[in-house]
Amino acid sequence: MNYVDGFVVAVPAANQEAYRQMAAEAAPLFKEFGALRVVECWGDDVPEGEVTDFRGAVKATSDEVVVFSWIEYPSKEVRDAANQKMMSDPRMQAFADRMPFDGQRMIFGGFTTLLDE
């Protein structure tokens, strides 16, 4: 089964188009490095929880929207190789200079697939 990198980040609502544009430019690079699929989701119905929630996880402020995204790879090995390529590719490094959000509040992780129907 596929391997998935998942991400949650708070993006200022005013930066929606800048984020969409950055994501659209980055997706082909992820695919070049081995990704099968890149999905970016703009928060639409992200309620506040009583104990924890997406907004709290990334310390989203009232003017920010939670973005939930994932990148699918054929295996963890392909993901690991892709991450190595990304770290040294100047095209990816250029994104760091113009991220339309606070990357320090991003949460992320790699996941093995348990079910895919």
Side-chain angles (χ1 to χ4, degrees), residues 21-91:
Q21 184 175 354
M22 181 197 69
E25 291 174 16
L29 297 178
F30 288 120
K31 288 184 174 183
E32 177 184 323
F33 298 143
L36 300 172
R37 185 175 179 211
V38 178
V39 180
E40 297 282 350
C41 303
W42 190 258
D44 177 58
D45 184 14
V46 184
E48 292 186 19
E50 290 184 29
V51 177
T52 191
D53 57 41
F54 279 109
R55 296 187 64 76
V58 293
K59 298 182 178 169
T61 62
S62 62
D63 66 332
E64 292 179 319
V65 175
V66 174
V67 172
F68 175 64
S69 62
W70 67 92
I71 304 172
E72 294 178 23
Y73 293 94
S75 67
K76 185 174 191 248
E77 293 75 22
V78 172
R79 187 285 301 254
D80 290 347
N83 282 345
Q84 289 288 39
K85 292 173 188 172
M86 283 182 249
M87 298 303 276
S88 62
D89 191 299
R91 297 172 297 175

